[in-house]
């Protein structure tokens, strides 16, 4: 290993002699490697990162699977299913259940809070091997009888930051969703639930209190499937062993309870990353960011390779002398590779600083929920990510240095000693130009992708037929504080009446879900009246309930007929409004308004047709939607008690937002009012992946553009230096300065044109891969395909003009005398 030490010392001496070159190479690689480290950290957090718990490698998640649905999605189970698995699964030392996203309205003597909590089995904390920071956790007896023991554990963060860290909290009483609970303990610091990628839990209550933590179905019923399972494997058991056993148990449950469990199996997975549905949702954007970061790294590596090649050409006499004196070509190549690897490793170490900054940028997009709440996702650099980054730096060093080393040592020694041009020099020039072409092409690809996403996000914020920034959304949840249906609807009507009386409020209307993607609209069989077919064969259309003046509130109106109004009473004839897509499907010849359809077997008169008010990506089409009257919902359905209330405003939103809260509090201060914000703000979170892709690809594309411009400038400046004798002769023979400038400009523009053409073709070919992120924009949008190259050419012209100006300033006498 003596030779390695010698090569390292020699490389360090050379790097010290050229501090400007060394700093430029390290900084360039730091940008490329740092961005890749940040994206690797994101991928690690989403897919791989184990829970920060004792013995986390022995923890496994159990999810339900559905026939016909991919096993990459996990579905919750029922509490009775859990009890069966707990009592019969022997591959698990212990199995716990939890419902991790329970909305909880918390009230103390001083304040009220809207938080998310978890409903957990008594053994939950024991399975996770946790110890309380204060007090104790649940006892088995407290989780046996439904409703008997209203006890709670709160998170350390909530206790310290929201309750002032009062040590007397243990034994104190708080109200959770209208019921008094006694606090028995505080969870350990840093623990706020085990589910990554969702808002963390601040309150934990036992499953015996399920009916307080979940109101929309009976948590103890077999058809109420809302809980997740986590278990600790037996010392000798593997995930595969547990999967085999649980599959057998699932088959028995299906045979015993065919109505509730038909087609339902289980999947056992290691407890890593975020929930499997979150993994599936985030996988495309993580792949996109990884590809974009890889392109930036390739641009950076090509840039440094060009710098190494240029420096190698300057040292060709030195290399030729060493070769003439008997040094082997392999030894010289090895020394050059050691230097490039040192540069890359130093760049990788500096890149960790860039990665820390970049992960903060990623946290802005992936660290918040649809409502802007901070989610339980740790994006800090894990030692495994650091190790991967340093390995990637070493590999980059080899790949960056190998081609310049081969080019520098290629050719005969005598012409190099005489400084004569050879075929090898021409090959080096072509190789250097080829590197620039690749950089330009990759930059154009990133810039076009950025332009597509920018245009997509602009279209999203314009709304599909309405102005999102003129609409306030708020969730009213009277069900959380024990309201029945009659009292809940009375409260909702009074709230709407008072809201519409506020200055600056145009209209208000309730709905089940907001007009945003990701909010499910249940599918129901729809048939035109007179169709005698079987309901099972009827068209299944998404449906949603909206109140009177809903379309006026959105500012969209209806294209035919009318919208719901006060004539449509809860006990009157059922009415429906179809969107244009559904109207065309059911009534291709027109005449939908006034016709009758059956929705779920119940007759509805069509009173209007609305626009398609949906955000549709480039690879989707508008869905058919049937809008049903909010006040004609099934009164036995617990979901009908709550609403996503829409309020259309004119003027400033800030004052109206606070006034809305005060107005509702005057009706009943105990009713939770949450997620109060402009629809435009909600769009930022609902389209978080588009927003993340837009911001990050713009950042990556800008960096690639700058690096390409620097590389182009460096290559042309070096070419001018190399051709100074030729330029001097041309000038001496009468060539005009403008001709010299044109010579350099033509060469630079040719390189840029070839790279831009390749980049445009690549962007057109890969555009469809972005289709799921594009709304109202074609993957091959002409504006984006042109805008990206125009920006690059404009920057490149500056990078080309500077060396061309330098070439014009060459003094032929000085240049020829120096030769």
């Amino acid at each position: 290993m003596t030779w390695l030490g010698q090569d390292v010392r020699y490389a360090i001496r050379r790097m010290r002699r050229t501090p400007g070159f060394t700093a430029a190479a390290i900084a360039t690689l730091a940008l490329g490697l740092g961005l890749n480290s940040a994206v690797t950290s994101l991928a690690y957090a989403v897919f791989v990162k184990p829970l920060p718990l004792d013995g986390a490698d022995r923890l496994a998640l159990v999810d339900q699977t559905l026939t016909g649905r991919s096993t990459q999605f996990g579905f919750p189970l029922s509490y009775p299913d859990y009890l069966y698995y707990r009592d019969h699964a022997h591959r698990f030392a212990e199995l716990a259940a939890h419902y991790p996203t329970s909305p909880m309205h918390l009230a103390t003597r001083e304040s009220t809070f809207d938080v998310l909590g978890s409903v957990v089995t008594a053994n939950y904390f024991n399975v996770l091997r946790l110890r309380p920071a204060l007090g104790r956790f649940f006892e088995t007896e407290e989780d046996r009888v439904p409703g008997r023991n209203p006890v709670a554990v709160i998170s350390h963060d909530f206790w310290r930051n929201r309750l002032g860290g009062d040590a007397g909290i243990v034994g104190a009483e708080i109200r959770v969703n209208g019921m008094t609970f006694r606090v028995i303990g505080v969870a350990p610091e840093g623990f706020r639930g085990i589910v990554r990628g969702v808002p963390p839990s601040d309150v934990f209550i036992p499953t015996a209190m399920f009916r307080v933590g979940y109101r929309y179905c009976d948590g103890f019923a077999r058809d109420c499937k809302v809980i997740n399972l986590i278990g600790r494997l037996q010392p000798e058991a593997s995930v595969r062993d547990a999967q085999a056993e649980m599959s057998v148990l699932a088959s028995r449950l299906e045979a015993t309870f065919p109505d509730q469990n038909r087609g339902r199996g289980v999947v056992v997975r290691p407890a890593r990353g975020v929930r499997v549905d979150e993994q599936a949702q985030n996988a495309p954007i993580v792949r996109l960011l990884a590809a974009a970061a890889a392109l930036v790294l390739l641009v950076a590596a090509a840039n440094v390779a060009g710098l190494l090649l240029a420096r190698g050409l300057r040292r060709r006499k030195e290399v030729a002398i060493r070769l003439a004196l008997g040094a082997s070509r392999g030894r010289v190549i090895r020394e050059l590779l050691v230097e490039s690897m040192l540069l890359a490793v130093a760049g990788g170490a500096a890149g960790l600083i860039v990665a820390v900054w970049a992960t903060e940028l990623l946290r802005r997009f992936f660290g918040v929920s649809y409502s802007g709440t901070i989610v339980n996702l740790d994006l800090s650099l894990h030692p495994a990510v650091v190790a991967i980054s340093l390995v990637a730096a070493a590999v980059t060093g080899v790949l960056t240095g190998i081609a310049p080393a081969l080019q520098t040592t290629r050719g005969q020694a005598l012409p190099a000693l005489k400084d004569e041009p050879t075929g090898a020099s021409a090959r080096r020039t072509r190789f250097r130009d080829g590197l620039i072409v690749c950089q330009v092409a990759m930059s154009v690809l990133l810039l076009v992708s950025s332009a597509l996403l920018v245009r997509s996000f602009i279209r999203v914020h314009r709304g599909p037929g309405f102005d999102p920034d003129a609409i306030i959304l708020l969730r009213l949840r009277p069900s959380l504080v024990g309201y029945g249906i009659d009292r809940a609807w009375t409260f909702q009507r009074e709230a709407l009446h008072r809201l519409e009386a506020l200055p600056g409020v145009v209209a208000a209307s309730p709905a089940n879900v907001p007009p945003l993607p990701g909010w499910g609209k249940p599918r129901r069989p729809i048939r035109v009246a007179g169709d005698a077919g079987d309901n099972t064969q009827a068209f299944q259309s998404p449906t949603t309930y909206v109140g009177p003046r809903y379309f006026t509130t959105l500012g969209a109106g209806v294209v035919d007929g009318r919208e719901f109004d006060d004539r449509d009473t809860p006990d009157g004839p059922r009415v429906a409004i179809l969107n244009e897509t559904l109207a065309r499907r059911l009534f291709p010849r027109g005449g939908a308004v006034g016709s009758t359809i059956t929705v779920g077997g119940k007759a509805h008169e069509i009173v209007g047709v609305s626009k398609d008010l949906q955000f549709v990506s480039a690879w989707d089409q508008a869905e058919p939607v049937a809008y049903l009257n909010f006040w004609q919902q099934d009164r036995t359905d617990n979901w009908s008690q709550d609403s996503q209330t829409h309020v259309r405003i004119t003027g400033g939103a800030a004052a109206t937002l606070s006034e809305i809260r005060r107005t509702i509090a005057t009706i009943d201060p105990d009713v939770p009012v949450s997620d109060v914000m402009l629809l435009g703000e909600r769009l930022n979170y609902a389209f978080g992946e588009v927003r993340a892709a837009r911001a990050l690809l713009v950042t990556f594309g800008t960096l690639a553009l700058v690096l390409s411009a620097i590389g182009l400038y460096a290559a042309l400046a070096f070419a001018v230096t190399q051709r100074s004798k030729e330029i001097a002769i041309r000038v001496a023979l009468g060539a005009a300065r403008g001709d010299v400038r044109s010579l350099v400009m033509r060469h630079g523009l040719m390189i840029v044109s070839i790279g831009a053409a390749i980049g445009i073709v690549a962007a057109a070919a890969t555009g469809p891969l972005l289709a799921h992120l594009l709304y109202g924009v074609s993957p091959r949008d002409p504006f984006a395909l042109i805008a990206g190259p125009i920006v690059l050419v404009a920057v490149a012209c500056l990078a080309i003009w500077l060396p061309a100006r330098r070439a014009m300033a060459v003094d032929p006498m000085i240049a020829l005398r120096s030769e």
Side-chain angles (χ1 to χ4, degrees), residues 6-18:
Q6 293 174 347
D7 289 347
V8 169
R9 288 192 294 272
Y10 183 51
I12 291 175
R13 283 199 300 270
R14 285 200 303 269
M15 291 164 63
R16 285 178 175 173
R17 284 199 294 267
T18 54

Side-chain angles (χ1 to χ4, degrees), residues 445-522:
L445 176 57
L446 284 171
L447 289 171
V448 170
S449 300
S450 303
L452 286 171
L453 290 164
V454 168
R455 283 174 60 76
S456 175
F457 203 71
I458 290 173
R459 294 292 182 89
V460 163
H461 263 272
R462 288 178 181 170
F466 55 85
D467 180 10
D469 291 323
I471 301 162
I472 293 175
L473 281 179
L474 58 141
R475 297 189 76 173
L476 296 178
R477 291 172 167 172
S479 69
L480 288 185
V481 289
Y483 273 42
I485 183 64
D486 292 331
R487 188 181 175 199
W489 279 11
T490 299
F491 172 86
Q492 298 267 11
R493 289 179 184 278
E494 181 62 22
L496 292 169
H497 175 71
R498 295 195 186 186
L499 289 176
E500 289 188 323
L502 292 176
V505 173
V506 177
S509 182
N512 281 155
V513 297
L516 294 171
W519 289 83
K521 299 179 179 68

Side-chain angles (χ1 to χ4, degrees), residues 582-779:
L582 182 56
R584 283 193 300 267
R585 182 184 181 93
L586 297 180
F587 303 93
R589 297 180 180 178
V593 175
S595 301
T596 301
I597 58 173
T598 60
V599 182
K602 297 177 180 178
H604 289 69
E605 179 190 352
I606 301 172
V607 297
V609 175
S610 75
K611 297 177 182 178
D612 291 330
L613 303 176
Q614 301 170 43
F615 297 91
V616 183
S617 70
W619 69 3
D620 291 325
Q621 294 181 339
E623 273 193 319
V625 178
Y627 296 94
L628 309 179
N629 192 306
F630 186 87
W631 304 118
Q632 294 179 343
Q633 294 184 74
D634 182 354
R635 299 167 68 88
T636 63
D637 186 351
N638 289 336
W639 287 98
S640 65
Q641 300 179 38
D642 302 340
S643 74
Q644 290 273 351
T645 297
H646 299 57
V647 182
R648 184 172 185 80
I649 63 171
T650 58
T656 307
L657 287 170
S658 58
E659 190 62 31
I660 284 174
R661 286 186 178 276
R662 284 196 297 269
T663 298
I664 295 175
T666 61
I667 306 171
D668 187 342
D670 288 334
V671 173
V673 182
S674 58
D675 302 343
V676 182
M677 65 177 68
L678 284 171
L679 179 56
E681 292 181 64
R682 289 284 288 274
L683 287 172
N684 285 336
Y685 303 116
F687 288 89
E689 58 179 10
V690 180
R691 182 166 160 254
R694 177 208 58 174
L696 295 170
L697 258 68
V698 167
T699 302
F700 292 176
T702 303
L703 289 175
L705 173 64
V706 172
L707 291 175
S708 296
I710 292 172
L712 180 62
Y713 166 78
L716 292 178
F718 181 74
V720 169
T721 302
Q722 293 292 98
R723 299 175 65 181
S724 59
K725 181 178 179 180
E726 174 195 341
I727 293 171
I729 293 173
R730 285 174 179 269
V731 174
L733 292 177
R737 299 283 180 177
D739 295 335
V740 174
R741 179 184 59 195
S742 298
L743 177 70
V744 178
M745 292 288 290
R746 279 198 305 270
H747 179 61
L749 288 174
M750 180 189 68
I751 295 173
V752 172
S753 298
I754 294 173
I758 295 173
I760 290 173
V761 172
T766 59
L769 299 178
L770 298 174
H772 66 291
L773 298 172
L774 302 181
Y775 293 83
V777 179
S778 166

